[in-house]
Each structure stands twice: as C-alpha cells, then as structure tokens.
Amino acid sequence: MSLAGALTSVLQATLSPDATTRRAAERELTSAQAHPDFASSILHLTQDATAAKPIRMSAALNFKNWIKANWAVEDAPTPLTTATAESLKESIVSIMIALASEPSLQVQVGEAISIMAEADFPEQWKGLIDQLVTPLSPDNFVVNNALLQTAHSIFRRWRSQFRTDDLFLEINFVLERFCAPYLSVFRATDALLSAPTLVPGSPEHTVLLKTLLLILQLYYDLNAQDLPPFFEDQLPELMALLLKYLDYSPFPTEKEEEDDDETEEAGDLEKVKAEVCEIATLYSQRYLDAFGEGGFLGPFVEKTWGLLTRLGKSVKYDILVAKATGFLSVVVKMPSQKALFESQQTLEAFCQKIILPNMTLRKFEEELFEDDALEYVRRDLESANSETRRQAASDFTKALMEQFETQVTSIVTQYISAYLTQNASDPTGSWRSKDTAIFLLTSIASRGSTVQQGVTSTNALVDVIKFFSDHILSDLQAPSGSINPIIQADAIKYLYTFRNQLTKEQLLSVLPLLVPHLQNPSFVIHTYAAITIERILFIKQNGTFMFHQVDIGPYAAPILDALFRIIESGQTPQLIAANDHLMKSVMRVIVTARQALAPSYESVLSHLTKILGEISKNPSNPKFNHFTFESISALVRFITAANPSTLAHFESALFPPFQSILQADVSEFSPFVFQILSQLLELHSSSEFPDAYKALLPPLLTPPLWEQKGNVPALVRLMRAFLARGAGAIVEANQLPPMFGIFQHLIGSKANDQHGFELLESIVDDALRPYMSNPVFMALLTRLQGGKTDKFSQGFLRFICFACAIQKDGLDPDGVIAMLDGCQPQQPGLFAQVLPVLLPEVQKAPTKDRKIIAVGLANILSSSRTMLAQPSVSAWTPAMLALLKLFLLPLTLSKNSGADADDEVNVVDPDDTGYQASYSKLGASERVRPDPVAHVPEPRTYLATSLVATSQQSPGQIRPLVLATGPEFATPFLTYLSTNSFELK
C-alpha cells in the first residue's frame, strides 16, 4: 500500500470512537511522520477531492500540527531535511490557493504557512511576499481572500511584539513589497462594493465584505508598530474610506430590531465596522498628531456616537458596541478633548444613550443564566477578558470618571437610587432594576483592580460597605428560592468584587453565609460561591495570606463536603470535570486549612481518589485535572507534617489509582503522578527505600517514558528521590547503567539538557562518584564541542562547581579535574582548556546558582594542587577574575531550611501562569531543597580564608596570580583582605 493509502486508513482509525483503536492509530501516525514523504503525502490527501471530508480535514490538521512540532524546532520529533523544507516553501502557497473552495481546509494550510513564516520569514523565505501578492487579482476575490487571510495570519503577530530593530527591518521589508498591491485591492474592493449593480446579501457581496474585513485587519497589522510613510501619504483617502465603511448601510433598514436574538452571530459587516473602530482607537492612542490635527478625530467621534445610538440589542452587535465604546473611552480620557465632553448635557446623554442601555440585563442573558451557565459565568465574572456590552459600558463609565468623577458619580448615583426605589416597590417584578443598580454602582465605585486581588482602590464618593450592608447582605442571607437567583448571584459577585474593602472580621462573619450557596442547584450560584470562597482565602496582606488554618478550621469540612457533593453529581468524567472553579476552591480550602483537616482527612482523600479514578477514564479539563492533583499533594503535605504515621495510609490509597493511570498510559496525568510519587518517597527517611518503590523503578527506566516531554522534569525529580534513598540498592540491582543512559539521552537534547545535569548532580551527591566513568564526561565534551548553547554551558559550569563545592568523601577539585583530564590522557590539561570556555557564563548565571558557582570556583582556586601546576595554572587567573566579577552581583545565601521554610507553599495556578500542556509543576509537592553549600555562610569570606591557607602552604604563588587579574579587580580584593586582617604570603 502507498504511503497516501496507508495514511488514509490511519487517519480514519484516529477518528474511531473506540479509545483503544484511536490510540493505536495515533501511535502509528506518529511513526509515519518520520517517513521522508510524509509532508507531501498528507498534503496530497488534503487536496484529494475523492477522499471523505473528515479524512481531508484530519489530514490538514495533522499537517499543521506536524509543521508546528517540527518546523525550526530544537529537538523536533521528526526534523525536516533542507530539501523538504525548501520544497514546501515553494509549493505551499499555491496549494493553499487551490483549496479556495474548501475554506475549512484552506485555513489550516494558511496557519501552517504562518508557523513556517514565523520561523523563516524574511531571512530564509525572502520570496514569500511575492508569492502572496503576485496572484492577487482584480476579479477573483475568493483567491484574494485566501492570500489576504494568510498575510494577516503572518502580520498579526506584530500587534503584540516589542519594538526592536529586527522587527522594524521585517516590517519595512513587507511594506516595500506589499503596500502598493494592498492599496490596489482596497480600491478595487471599494469600487465593487459601491457599484449600483451589486445586490446586497448576494454571494458576490458576501465575498467582498470578507475581503474588506481582511483589508482592514491588515490595515491594523501594518500600522500596529508605527505609522508607515506610505499610509501617512495616503491618509486623506484612507480615512475617507474608513469613515465610509463605519457608516456603511447596504441593507434597506438601518434601525435595528429591539429583539436581543442570541442566535444571530456577528457577520462580516459588523466585524468591518468593529475593525474600523479598532483602527480609530489605534490612531487615537499612537498617532494623534496625524489623526487629530489632520481633522479626522472629530468625524470619527461623531459617526461612532451616531452608530451607537442606532444599534439595537441583538447579540450580533455586541462586539461592535464594545469596540465603538472602547474608541470613545480612549477619546474621553484625553485631556486635549476634555472640552468636547465636559458639559452636563453631554455627560447625561452618554449615561442615558450608552451606559444605561448597555448595562441593562437582556432577555438573552437571562436565558444564558439557565441554559448555558458556564458561558454566563465567563461573560459576567471574567468580563475583563470578554467583549460584552456590560463590560464595555463599565469601561466607558470608568473612562469618564477619570476626567469627570464628581459629575458622573452624581448622575449615575441618581439612576442607582431610582432603580433601587423601583425594586423596593416591587422586588419580584422589578428585580432587573436592582441588577442594573448593582452593576452601575460597581462601575463607578471601582477605581483600580487586578485579576488576582479584585478591586484595590475605590471611588471616595461611593461607600461600598454601606451599600453592602443596605442592599447586598440581605440577599446573601436569603434562603435559596426566596429571591430571584440572578439577584442572589449578584450579591455573591459583589462580595467577590469588593472583598478587599472588607476587614478580616467582616469577611469571617460573611464566610458562613456562602456555605449554603454551595448547595444551591443553580450552576451560577454555587460556582460564584466557590470562586468567592477561594478568592477570599487567597487575600494577602503585606505578602502573607490573611486567613490561616485557625480561621478556616470550623468551616473547612462543610465547605469541602458541599463542593465534593456538586462535583460528584456529574454522571460522566466530562461532567465531573466540567467546573474547574469547584476543584480550585477545594484546593484553596485544603491549602488554607492544612492540619485543621486532620480529623477528616481520610474522607477528603477518599473523595479525591474517587474523582481521580473517574476523570482518568477520559481527561477533558486540564485546569480541573491540575487542581485535583494539587489538592491531593497539599493534603499529603500538611497531614503528614502533623502526623508522619499517616504516610502509609496515603500510599495505600494513592498507589492503586496511580498504577491504573500509568498502566493505561494516561499521558495527561503521568507527570502529576510522578511528582506526587516523588513527594511521598521524599517523606521517607534517607535510610528507607520501601519495596513498593523498588518495584516501580525498573519500568521507569524504559526509554518510551522519557520520550514524552512532559514526563522528563517529574521523572528526574523521582530519580533524585530514588538515588537519595536507595543508591546502594540501585547499584546492587545494576540499575545505574540505565540511569547513565537516560543522562546521555537528556544531555544530548537542547530542550532537556538541564534535567540531565540535575540527574548527574544527584548521582554525584549520593556517593556514586566511583561509578562515574569517562563516557559521562565524553558526552558532556561532545555536546560542548558540537552543540553548545548558553543554557548547556551554564549547566556544565554549575555541575563542575557543584562537584567541587559539596563536601563528599572522595570528591574534591583535584578529583573532578582528574576525571575530566582522564577523558583524553594524551592531551594534558584538558580541564584548563574547558574551564575558560565556560567562564563567560559565570556572570550570566541565575541568582539561585551564583552561590554554588562561587564556592565551587573558590575551591578550584584554593584547594586544587593541579590548578597551581602547569599546564592547568593558565586557567587560574581567568577563573579568579570571573569569580571577582561574580562578587559584584547579588548572591542568594543559605535559605532557612527549617519548619518555617518548609511551610511555604507556592501553589501554581494555571489561571495566573498559563497552563502548560506538557508539564505543570505541583507547587504543594515542592519542598525547599537543602543548600548543598550551607557550610559556607558567605562566599567572599570563604575565598579569602581558603586562599590565605593555600598561600601559607605555597608561599609566593597565590599573590602574583591574584595581581594578574589586573588592578581594577585585584586592588579592591587585596584591600578587602587587608581590611579583614587576611594576608597572602
């Protein structure tokens, strides 16, 4: 069977609903990617009109993912040959054009081009722009759209990049070749859209609107970093076109319907106008001289204001409303434009025409509360990242407040009072009035906020605590079902928003009010309660958490029981893991309650293992998975700290699900399992190496596990734990050679070499030095010679210094030098040749490594007889100079390794750091590593005393070597010695 035929069968199998069939096919597909004709074959399959559509789509997706994994990627699974890469660059644009009739396939190929371009353009793909502009046509706009879409996918990254010389060279390279054809297409598109024969809504009109949208997206891309001279020269024409399409009304009726129909998504016409508003915002922020003084700002403000007053409530206009309001928000904050808006009449019109209509809850959002609660939560609670009307109106209010705080506060407060009065007269029928009042007050009260901490500063003219007491507290206290659920959700959200404005005592008094809401069947209400509890427990003052185990202790068990009850009510693994906010709250309660959970920890662990067993059947929510393992890890940490005898119970409860996960090859969970296994083993004394762990070691030494990138950091940590407790047993079982094989595999990888050095340090640290052989150092030297990177050089330097710094029997600087020199006995002084190559990395070393490097170099300089003899002495002065320069940088001295340090927990939150698909560290499982050079309080003093001792043994030898570093560094160091009563003989 041909490769294309085989790929068709394999791709078909990857779509199978049967997990076993699917995984086997995925492995086969991974193997096929190593075939030299894989790229051309799978691209051919993408174009094969006779193949089934799902197969073609799968082929396009796999091609894009293969490009992403292998194109210009260090340690790529299947690196491309130069011939394959050049062939793809020559043909892929034409292939993308050929797929113009299949947009879903075309977009995947276009994204692949974007990935290739990000790595190779412009230096290694100078012809790309010509490939994109040459086929542009005055009449084939289907092809034009494909080309413009691809150009946009390449150029849009400029929007967020930092300004550098290389970036501007790239942009100028594009502008020289792209601007003229771009303007020609813009003019041609405008002419066709303006033609009286064009039928609005016709296929031709639809294609042209898509073209116009892409043209405007490219306009933003090309102007994102600076105003190009080409655009500045054409500004009157271009601004006229932008104003024209901001006001473009091809359909007979412009006044939009009042129905807030959520089924109709924004079309290209709405997106065109939104893009014009984004461009106007960009020009207002970055190029006001050209935009304002050119007389364009005023007309844009006028047309945007008019547009906003015409748009109806339909959801399809939401993004347009957000972008248009965003533009006005930028303008009203400008001191230079203050006079335009400062009249009372204008501010009242803004409130009446923009703020109030867009803050009022729509019928569609009420339905969302019940029918798609997860989306409601995303839009409402995470509104800063969502382009909703409410958030846009709130942002506009805050923008007005910057210049007109007193006036706007007064106007909005009147509306708030009116809404609350209306609600008081009919709480059941007028609940929407209270909802609007709460949102209005939140908008004028919040002056500063962060995602982690909520509102950090408030409007002095608004008393948020009084509002809470008068209008919110009763809704928090109301039994479920007694008031409208949206109002109850609003009350919880208010507490979430202004949690920093309440004192610790006030928060402790309202915390019990949230517990019943965790049992509310409403998804939004119990989710808001869980989120609010988690964020309250996360509050910090002066860098430390406000709440401690003594505070949360009485409530921890009821909160956890309620959370577990909701989570476990899911009928499938996907439904169990659907709401990661719930498991995040579980994690935070455990981290805060700590030893207060000792009486109920077995029940908590039982719930967690039950949930783990279910979600491992079909992992679906990475955040939920992470918080589940973080919860288990935190429980292990704090309960065993209070009662070490509980370790056996944790092991008996966790080993069965962990073994099931490893046996089923649930790759998403393996790194978490290895981290907790490390944590459990590290809790045993250094003399304990239980049989259960001995049985685990052989399968962990097999190569396939180490091929999965996400496993490597966790497995290295587990290997370190094995070596620390069972070095002798490992040697006896002849398991050290496979470990050295793993080291060689890691050290040869640019992505994983730092983990190779970690493993090697552990081997040295655990008294296995006699088993280190020349092949280890040969692997290091080969990599240094053939594939050196800054990261590798820093790792090699740290390892040498580590080996020279730690106090281990049979390990000293002369021994390390001898091991390295022994790699090439016929070439004396190899160490003295290698060390100067690594010394430039001394000052680049991360702060955490500087002390060990300083102590290691100090020992090399003072404790090695070899370094004072030829030929190695040639490296002495360069090493001393590097060390003296290092002393100019801050060093991290010994950390407290006692109970207080071990009690610090840095729980990693994917919401804050970004979820890592391959590996995410479990913060609760981490322990402060002991300082390997804790015996050295201060490295410079240590160097001084060591050199003085050596100079007494070898008088007249050290001082000249120090002086050879030059007066800039030698003089201050000798002065330091003299000041502290040290003398070099």
Side-chain angles (χ1 to χ4, degrees), residues 586-907:
V586 168
M587 175 201 74
R588 188 65 60 194
V589 171
I590 292 173
V591 168
T592 307
R594 303 191 176 200
Q595 287 85 2
L597 288 172
S600 59
Y601 89 91
E602 291 185 12
S603 172
V604 175
L605 181 60
S606 176
H607 283 294
L608 288 170
T609 53
K610 178 182 176 183
I611 291 167
L612 179 60
E614 289 299 313
I615 63 174
S616 65
K617 295 175 183 176
N618 190 3
S620 57
N621 185 341
K623 288 183 180 180
F624 187 96
N625 301 339
H626 183 102
F627 294 136
T628 301
F629 281 100
E630 197 77 79
S631 299
I632 293 171
S633 178
L635 193 66
V636 169
R637 177 178 185 140
F638 297 119
I639 299 302
T640 58
N643 183 359
S645 66
T646 58
L647 177 58
H649 180 76
F650 278 107
E651 289 174 330
S652 64
L654 292 172
F655 266 53
F658 284 1
Q659 287 173 334
S660 298
I661 288 168
L662 295 177
Q663 289 169 0
D665 191 22
V666 185
S667 58
E668 299 94 331
F669 286 2
S670 298
F672 295 127
V673 168
F674 294 141
Q675 289 178 78
I676 296 180
L677 285 174
S678 301
Q679 179 186 10
L680 293 169
L681 181 53
E682 288 162 0
L683 289 169
H684 287 274
S685 69
S686 58
S687 60
E688 285 185 277
F689 190 29
D691 290 340
Y693 293 94
K694 289 180 183 178
L696 277 175
L697 183 53
L700 298 182
L701 297 175
T702 56
L705 272 181
W706 294 84
E707 295 296 334
Q708 298 179 33
K709 185 178 178 182
N711 285 345
V712 171
L715 280 172
V716 167
R717 179 184 171 189
L718 188 51
M719 291 301 108
R720 291 175 68 104
F722 278 128
L723 287 165
R725 283 150 189 82
I730 288 170
V731 171
E732 186 178 337
N734 199 31
Q735 291 168 330
L736 201 55
M739 282 196 181
F740 279 127
I742 290 167
F743 155 74
Q744 289 181 304
H745 169 73
L746 296 176
I747 215 67
S749 161
K750 292 180 180 179
N752 292 319
D753 49 19
Q754 74 273 25
H755 302 301
F757 282 117
E758 270 193 74
L759 184 58
L760 191 58
E761 283 185 11
S762 187
I763 293 172
V764 170
D765 197 24
D766 291 305
L768 296 175
R769 178 206 176 281
Y771 301 95
M772 297 188 66
S773 56
N774 282 354
V776 171
F777 287 94
M778 285 301 299
L780 295 173
L781 293 172
T782 300
R783 172 68 197 279
L784 183 67
Q785 186 176 18
K788 183 181 73 167
T789 62
D790 287 348
K791 182 162 68 77
F792 174 82
S793 298
Q794 288 174 13
F796 198 176
L797 173 70
R798 179 195 150 93
F799 169 67
I800 288 174
C801 293
F802 174 88
C804 293
I806 60 175
Q807 294 181 315
K808 292 288 182 180
D809 292 339
L811 192 65
D812 56 27
D814 279 335
V816 174
I817 294 171
M819 281 191 283
L820 198 55
D821 284 349
C823 292
Q824 295 184 16
Q826 72 282 4
Q827 187 178 348
L830 180 60
F831 179 84
Q833 298 174 41
V834 170
L835 184 61
V837 174
L838 302 177
L839 290 176
E841 304 301 325
V842 171
Q843 284 194 290
K844 301 177 189 175
T847 305
K848 65 181 179 63
D849 291 342
R850 289 174 186 167
K851 183 185 177 186
I852 199 163
I853 289 173
V855 175
L857 287 176
N859 282 350
I860 290 171
L861 294 168
S862 63
S863 303
S864 169
R865 294 184 176 277
T866 306
M867 281 294 289
L868 294 176
Q870 292 293 345
S872 298
V873 72
S874 62
W876 199 100
T877 296
M880 182 66 179
L881 180 60
L883 181 53
L884 293 177
K885 288 180 178 178
L886 181 62
F887 286 148
L888 299 176
L889 302 174
L891 301 181
T892 300
L893 302 181
S894 298
K895 294 182 179 179
N896 177 14
S897 58
D900 291 339
D902 196 49
D903 201 43
E904 296 175 6
V905 181
N906 180 25
V907 174

Side-chain angles (χ1 to χ4, degrees), residues 28-268:
E28 192 174 345
L29 184 61
T30 301
S31 300
Q33 290 175 359
H35 195 286
D37 294 330
F38 174 79
S40 57
S41 298
I42 203 161
L43 263 181
H44 173 75
L45 189 54
T46 301
Q47 302 173 77
D48 185 1
T50 64
K53 186 66 177 288
I55 300 297
R56 295 179 69 187
M57 176 55 72
S58 180
L61 282 167
N62 274 280
F63 172 74
K64 181 190 73 174
N65 292 336
W66 179 77
I67 288 290
K68 186 176 183 179
N70 296 285
W71 193 277
V73 175
E74 288 186 356
D75 302 312
T78 52
L80 288 81
T81 64
T82 303
T84 299
E86 291 304 317
S87 174
L88 282 173
K89 284 190 282 190
E90 289 174 8
S91 63
I92 194 165
V93 172
S94 59
I95 292 172
M96 187 264 300
I97 293 171
L99 291 170
S101 61
E102 297 285 355
S104 58
L105 300 177
Q106 187 183 63
V107 72
Q108 301 301 327
V109 178
E111 288 179 14
I113 294 174
S114 177
I115 295 166
M116 294 160 61
E118 186 170 1
D120 285 12
F121 177 78
E123 289 84 0
Q124 299 174 53
W125 199 355
K126 295 188 181 296
L128 175 58
I129 300 302
D130 292 336
Q131 289 177 285
L132 292 174
V133 300
T134 301
L136 287 172
S137 163
D139 49 23
N140 191 339
F141 282 84
V142 173
V143 169
N144 288 351
N145 287 355
L147 295 164
L148 295 175
Q149 179 66 61
T150 302
H152 172 53
S153 71
I154 296 168
F155 304 157
R156 66 185 170 196
R157 58 189 167 88
W158 297 341
R159 298 186 180 202
S160 58
Q161 288 187 325
F162 291 108
R163 297 161 69 93
T164 64
D165 291 343
D166 287 344
L167 176 61
F168 276 86
L169 286 173
E170 179 182 331
I171 293 173
N172 287 331
F173 180 88
V174 170
L175 292 171
E176 291 172 4
R177 293 157 176 80
F178 193 79
C179 283
Y182 166 82
L183 184 57
S184 296
V185 173
F186 200 165
R187 288 168 174 164
T189 305
D190 173 56
L192 291 170
L193 283 169
S194 305
T197 56
L198 182 67
V199 178
S202 64
E204 181 185 4
H205 186 232
T206 301
V207 171
L208 288 170
L209 280 178
K210 181 65 176 177
T211 307
L212 181 60
L213 176 59
L214 290 166
I215 286 170
L216 294 174
Q217 289 171 335
L218 284 163
Y219 192 115
Y220 194 109
D221 298 339
L222 297 168
N223 286 261
Q225 290 289 337
D226 203 357
L227 179 57
F230 180 91
F231 283 81
E232 192 169 7
D233 293 343
Q234 310 293 332
L235 209 55
E237 177 187 1
L238 293 169
M239 289 295 113
L241 287 169
L242 294 180
L243 279 168
K244 174 181 177 179
Y245 288 105
L246 182 60
D247 212 24
Y248 181 54
S249 305
F251 299 102
T253 56
E254 170 66 16
K255 179 62 181 176
E256 304 302 342
E257 69 283 350
E258 290 302 313
D259 180 27
D260 57 338
D261 179 16
E262 79 276 17
T263 60
E264 191 173 356
E265 295 182 356
D268 285 338

